[in-house]
Amino acid sequence: MARQHFLTHSLVCCLLIVGSTDVANAQRRHKAITTQEKQPLFLINDTLPIIGSMAKVGEKQMNKGLVNSAINALSGQAVGVNVVTNGQDRMAMLTSVRVRGTTSLTGGNDPLVLIDGVSADLATLSTIYPADIESFTILKNASETSKYGSRGASGVIEVKTRRGNGSKFQIYYDGAIGFDAVYKRLRMLNASEYINAAKALGLDYVDKGYDTDFQKEIVRTGFVNSHHVAFSGGGEKSNYRASLGYVRGQTVIKNKDYNNFMAKLDISQLAFDEKLKIDFGVFGSSQQDEKIFDIQALAYSAAAMNPTFPFHKIGNEWQRNNTASQIAPTEPLLFERNDEKNLTFNSHLQLSLQLPHNLQLAALGSYSYTSTEHGKFAPTWVWAQGLAYRGERKAEEMLGNISLDWKHHWTTSSLSATILAEYQKKKVAAFWTQVKGLTNNYFGYNNLGAASDRPYGGTGSSYADPSLASFMGTLTYTLLNRYTLNLTTRADGSSMVGKENTWGFFPSISATWDMKKESFLRNNKSISLLNLRTGYGRSGNLGGISSYLTLRQYIPVGLISYNGTPTVTMGTLRNSNPDLRWETRSTFNIGTDLGLFNNRLLLTAEYYYSKTTDMLYEYDVPVPTFAFDKLLANIGSMSNSGFELGIGIVPISKKDMELNVNVNMAWQKNKLLSLNGKLNGRDMTASDITPIGSMDGAGFHGGYNDILYQIVGQPLGVFYLPHCKGIIDNGHGHNKYDIADLNNDNVIDLSDHGDRYIAGQATPKMTLGSNISFRYKDFDISLQMNGAFGHKIFNGTTLSYMNMSNFPDYNVLAEAPTRNIVDQNVTDYWLEKGDYLNFDYLTIGWNTPVKNKYINSLRVSFSINNLATITSYSGLTPIINSYVVDNTLGIDDKRTYPPYRTYSIGVSIKF
């Protein structure tokens, strides 16, 4: 069926002869053939829906609220691009980004980030100041990403930063000050309610005489301020731009701060009669973030602590609730440290030489260096012996490529071709040390030698040096200025796969039909734009493979005495697989772009289908023949399909008034097709039903706790749960969940193969992004909305805090005593709809008419971030991890960061 599905798509592709192109480019081309009419006052890029094969997000579309992380300027603006955050702060809040969902089980799902053509990652992108970014371009289809080979297998985010424009000297300043306020907390029992509930149930309780709201005690009013200065200038043959940015903030959690300092310089120069162009750029940043040591432990301690206990020390120590073994005193948890410091240096030099016969030779060289220092500390107030940890990871990456472009135009057609050779080398080194037995809590993690216990295995180091060589050729042919065909083929050779599978070949084809230029539409004044496009391509993915997996690796496994000398013994690390090869993803897409009434109304739509084959997965193998019971192999397959729709409307466009409405919607479907197959004649099998997410950590007191599953034939991340028919008396004066006997065998079996059913999926079936902007003279207002629909959330937080089994040792929700549930079995009773519509920000701006000899423009703005959320979900917030497949996907389990709202004032000045 899958093969027939693919052949059908290929046939449609050939018949339509359409291709991938940017809607904005098409609009610019159409301007040349439109009659001389009164032009609208809005710009094309202001109204273009951010959707399509190559979605471009310019300055006009970027988020206007308080945005100090570059990736958050993109959030909600590009359809099919999901930004996953943990809510901690605005720089390190990035967890992951998904372009059209998850396509691999083992890794390699993060998109490639290119900053001015130089390879980077999401962490580096998060350090760039948003005001330094001119545009994002998101490549989603294999026909566009194929030019980047395996690096772009999960999508590509091209970032273009601002450059000097060759004009007079200019100075820019952007700054903002904001305050964060927590607006929602769990409603737990206060001291009097706690005592009354315990008395009513006839239970013994501890009363320390206080009335403490621990959730309130751990938070504060957050603060953030940011400043950015840029200088630019130049002449006809050269230009430059330099910028400095600084962000400092205090999170709403006490004792947790962050800061980021960044600097950037770009220089362009024309030489040799303007035949040679030289581009040089350098970027550096220093980012520090004080993270929460264990968000689940902190949240559970604050919510479940006996409210009659004090928050602060009494005498020289904190009061410990000895009947609640799973939680520590709350305030000492704020003194735990989980600090991270990232140093980034990135530089590049590009030379472009114009040669005779329409040839252009270009060479690019780049060098990147990143260092991540990580320090952890748990004081003896929380851990019996205390804990301190220091580690560092350093990465160097060198990339060089050389390309030759050729273009030629005839009367009715044109042809262009590119050949490229590229080599990438990376070196990654890391080391770490962990100690226990702290003599005091004053050193933190800064004096590891002060600890008395250095556990075996707590110190280690690693090194890897993968390399990638590539060759690429592209050919683009255009006929009659309206039919375009593009062919690309790329060969990637990696050091990380088996010797027999070093090279992967990834071709693609795409086409476009500019129907507006046909005679039957050329003079149609209602239709200003009509494109059809399609493409098909293959890409490789090595994200699930680390260096040396094809080789036998050894690690220390013990310490013995040999001839009276302590000697470390070595053993194999894992099973090696010399036959590892590329994961391959094949993608088909077809779309259309329609503009009406001089593009006052824009519609763009696209359907895509992709299939990942030779998917990497760890299989169970016998011991012996193998040394270990797991083996990584290329066998499985997975599919992703979806439909994307963008709408842009300009209902008002006058000199003093303008209204723009943009909406993008994406429907996505993921399916795990198979896991079983053969490897060198051996049958490799994996369970069709595998738990991947469960209730864990503090607050869960035993029982079947698996919630989220990986099931063949289903989307990744489905809820596989027992069914609860309601709440019934347990025969002892309390209530319990009435669990259904789904297989009618008169036995309630909560195991994986017992009374469970597929109750829903954790990933949204549909996502929405919308921006409404209105301008009246010098004033403007912008509202950004993001939404997700069709998924569910397991409210494990309420399940834990509604359970009266451990009351009064652990505090409970205010309504828990009335409901009197003494049961913590996982069922679909607490599975809720995850649908939400979030008003991401509201910004009001004033472009002041102040202009003089020195000030060219001045803008003042006021923003409210996280204005409101419309949802039926009963937890703190439905905006949790609903995209990245891990053990937190779709599970709200006592780890939600306190929802907060931000109020900020911003100023932008151009001199």
Side-chain angles (χ1 to χ4, degrees), residues 35 104 129 157 164 168 201 229 286 305 330 411-412 442 459 471 482 524 565 570 584 589 716 806 822 894:
T35 57
S104 174
Y129 202 91
I157 299 177
K168 63 178 182 179
L201 294 170
V229 180
S286 173
M305 181 63 71
T330 306
T411 304
T412 60
Y442 300 109
T459 298
F471 300 94
R482 53 184 179 268
N524 189 311
T565 302
M570 305 294 287
T584 302
N589 66 282
L716 272 181
N806 300 284
V822 183
K894 307 176 296 296

Side-chain angles (χ1 to χ4, degrees), residues 806-876:
N806 300 284
F807 178 82
D809 296 340
Y810 300 86
N811 199 10
V812 293
L813 289 167
E815 60 181 299
T818 302
R819 302 187 68 169
N820 197 19
I821 300 173
V822 183
D823 193 347
Q824 63 176 6
N825 281 314
V826 169
T827 72
D828 62 359
Y829 187 84
W830 295 112
L831 188 65
E832 304 181 38
K833 289 184 177 180
D835 300 353
Y836 70 86
L837 178 64
N838 181 53
F839 295 88
D840 193 24
Y841 68 81
L842 175 69
T843 296
I844 301 173
W846 178 33
N847 296 296
T848 65
V850 177
K851 292 186 179 180
N852 57 35
K853 181 179 179 181
Y854 300 104
I855 300 178
N856 293 328
S857 65
L858 172 63
R859 174 179 170 81
V860 180
S861 62
F862 172 74
S863 298
I864 303 177
N865 284 58
N866 199 16
L867 180 64
T869 304
I870 299 175
T871 183
S872 63
Y873 180 63
S874 64
L876 286 177

Side-chain angles (χ1 to χ4, degrees), residues 340-548:
E340 189 173 287
K341 182 177 181 180
N342 293 290
L343 300 176
T344 301
F345 174 80
N346 190 305
S347 63
H348 72 275
L349 176 65
Q350 185 172 32
L351 306 175
S352 299
L353 178 63
Q354 192 66 45
L355 300 173
H357 309 295
N358 298 321
L359 291 171
Q360 180 173 304
L361 181 66
L364 170 69
S366 69
Y367 172 81
S368 301
Y369 173 83
T370 59
S371 171
T372 300
E373 298 180 13
H374 198 184
K376 288 186 177 184
F377 165 67
T380 56
W381 309 313
V382 180
W383 291 49
Q385 300 181 56
L387 177 144
Y389 169 92
R390 291 294 298 269
E392 184 175 9
R393 179 184 182 274
K394 298 180 179 180
E396 291 182 281
E397 183 174 322
M398 292 155 281
L399 182 144
N401 65 44
I402 185 168
S403 63
L404 182 65
D405 295 298
W406 173 77
K407 296 180 180 180
H408 189 78
H409 295 272
W410 292 276
T411 304
T412 60
S413 61
S414 63
L415 181 65
S416 62
T418 299
I419 55 174
L420 174 141
E422 184 174 78
Y423 182 75
Q424 180 183 21
K425 181 72 173 181
K426 194 170 186 178
K427 296 179 180 179
V428 182
F431 67 89
W432 60 92
T433 298
Q434 179 174 300
V435 298
K436 296 181 179 180
L438 304 182
T439 56
N440 61 63
N441 293 311
Y442 300 109
F443 295 124
Y445 51 70
N446 292 313
N447 189 354
L448 300 184
S452 61
D453 184 9
R454 294 163 180 78
Y456 181 82
T459 298
S461 62
S462 65
Y463 176 82
D465 59 347
S467 58
L468 183 72
S470 304
F471 300 94
M472 184 192 72
T474 66
L475 191 67
T476 302
Y477 177 71
T478 302
L479 178 64
L480 300 176
N481 200 29
R482 53 184 179 268
Y483 310 110
T484 302
L485 180 68
N486 178 270
L487 300 172
T488 300
T489 184
R490 180 166 178 136
D492 283 343
S494 173
S495 64
M496 295 195 296
V497 295
K499 291 183 178 180
E500 302 300 322
N501 305 308
T502 299
W503 289 94
F505 298 91
F506 310 110
S508 70
I509 180 172
S510 64
T512 183
W513 180 14
D514 192 342
M515 295 180 65
K516 174 60 181 176
K517 293 182 179 178
E518 297 289 355
S519 58
F520 55 85
L521 285 180
R522 187 175 303 163
N523 297 320
N524 189 311
K525 296 183 179 180
S526 298
I527 300 177
S528 49
L529 165 70
L530 182 58
N531 280 342
L532 292 178
R533 47 188 166 79
T534 195
Y536 172 79
R538 292 165 62 87
S539 57
N541 188 352
L542 286 181
I545 300 179
S546 58
S547 296
Y548 317 126

Side-chain angles (χ1 to χ4, degrees), residues 180 182 218-222 250-257:
D180 302 326
V182 174
I218 67 171
V219 300
R220 62 185 174 184
T221 298
Q250 299 174 334
T251 73
V252 295
I253 298 294
K254 291 179 179 178
N255 296 347
K256 306 303 174 187
D257 302 338

Side-chain angles (χ1 to χ4, degrees), residues 243-408:
S243 65
L244 296 172
Y246 179 70
V247 179
R248 181 172 179 82
Q250 299 174 334
T251 73
V252 295
I253 298 294
K254 291 179 179 178
N255 296 347
K256 306 303 174 187
D257 302 338
Y258 60 89
N259 65 75
N260 187 20
F261 176 80
M262 63 216 79
K264 195 173 189 302
L265 173 66
D266 292 284
I267 301 173
S268 294
Q269 176 71 53
L270 294 175
F272 304 124
D273 298 327
E274 302 183 8
K275 292 182 179 180
L276 176 66
K277 183 180 180 182
I278 305 170
D279 287 305
F280 171 77
V282 62
F283 167 77
S285 70
S286 173
Q287 181 187 82
Q288 299 184 64
D289 186 31
E290 298 172 355
K291 300 179 180 180
I292 298 175
F293 189 90
D294 187 336
I295 179 65
Q296 193 180 58
L298 178 63
Y300 186 61
S301 176
M305 181 63 71
N306 183 332
T308 69
F309 274 61
F311 179 75
H312 299 292
K313 280 184 178 180
I314 301 299
N316 294 322
E317 62 183 19
W318 286 275
Q319 298 292 299
R320 179 180 292 274
N321 186 358
N322 294 323
T323 62
S325 60
Q326 288 194 331
I327 56 177
T330 306
E331 187 178 34
L333 295 175
L334 294 174
F335 296 104
E336 292 180 313
R337 309 297 301 177
N338 182 15
D339 301 338
E340 189 173 287
K341 182 177 181 180
N342 293 290
L343 300 176
T344 301
F345 174 80
N346 190 305
S347 63
H348 72 275
L349 176 65
Q350 185 172 32
L351 306 175
S352 299
L353 178 63
Q354 192 66 45
L355 300 173
H357 309 295
N358 298 321
L359 291 171
Q360 180 173 304
L361 181 66
L364 170 69
S366 69
Y367 172 81
S368 301
Y369 173 83
T370 59
S371 171
T372 300
E373 298 180 13
H374 198 184
K376 288 186 177 184
F377 165 67
T380 56
W381 309 313
V382 180
W383 291 49
Q385 300 181 56
L387 177 144
Y389 169 92
R390 291 294 298 269
E392 184 175 9
R393 179 184 182 274
K394 298 180 179 180
E396 291 182 281
E397 183 174 322
M398 292 155 281
L399 182 144
N401 65 44
I402 185 168
S403 63
L404 182 65
D405 295 298
W406 173 77
K407 296 180 180 180
H408 189 78

Side-chain angles (χ1 to χ4, degrees), residues 545-585:
I545 300 179
S546 58
S547 296
Y548 317 126
L549 282 180
T550 61
L551 306 175
R552 180 168 295 181
Q553 302 176 68
Y554 294 90
I555 58 170
V557 294
L559 190 66
I560 64 172
S561 175
Y562 181 74
N563 292 332
T565 302
T567 304
V568 174
T569 60
M570 305 294 287
T572 54
L573 174 62
R574 59 171 68 90
N575 290 325
S576 61
N577 183 0
D579 295 318
L580 286 179
R581 58 185 181 273
W582 301 79
E583 281 189 354
T584 302
R585 183 186 179 194

